[in-house]
Amino acid sequence: MTSMERVMTALQHREPDRVPLMLFLSIYGAKYAGASIREYFSDASEVARVQLQMRERFDNDVLIGFQHAAAEFEAFGGEVIWFPDGPPN
């Protein structure tokens, strides 16, 4: 089964070939890319590239486009506080 087939089968309450793996690898991508969390999230194309690499490595079935919760706050003019070892707030 493809990832899409696996997820759709599970959502239809049928049994796929294996349980769909939905890893939330948001800030782990920064560590995987060897960048700070702030550097990593400052370039959406880098986030997408790294997420695709991690999908290949971990064989997860769902890519999550969510970056970090503070991104929405920042989009409306809020100030984001960045931490070197945790998610921005």
Side-chain angles (χ1 to χ4, degrees):
M1 287 186 147
T2 66
S3 291
M4 175 67 108
E5 292 168 337
R6 187 173 296 117
V7 171
M8 295 307 293
T9 299
L11 288 173
Q12 295 168 8
H13 301 282
R14 297 187 333 214
E15 190 172 333
D17 61 339
R18 67 173 171 88
V19 174
L21 185 57
M22 300 177 192
L23 300 175
F24 190 73
L25 298 170
S26 179
I27 63 174
Y28 181 74
K31 183 176 183 175
Y32 189 82
S36 72
I37 293 172
R38 188 173 192 161
E39 291 170 334
Y40 177 66
F41 284 128
S42 69
D43 184 357
S45 62
E46 176 71 358
V47 172
R49 184 186 68 77
V50 172
Q51 291 292 317
L52 288 170
Q53 283 183 349
M54 289 191 300
R55 182 188 184 281
E56 289 296 316
R57 178 169 181 179
F58 300 115
D59 197 27
N60 55 316
D61 293 303
V62 176
L63 288 175
I64 299 172
F66 179 79
Q67 299 230 358
H68 56 82
E72 293 177 5
F73 183 70
E74 185 177 38
F76 289 98
E79 182 180 346
V80 175
I81 301 169
W82 292 91
F83 297 97
D85 58 351
N89 287 301

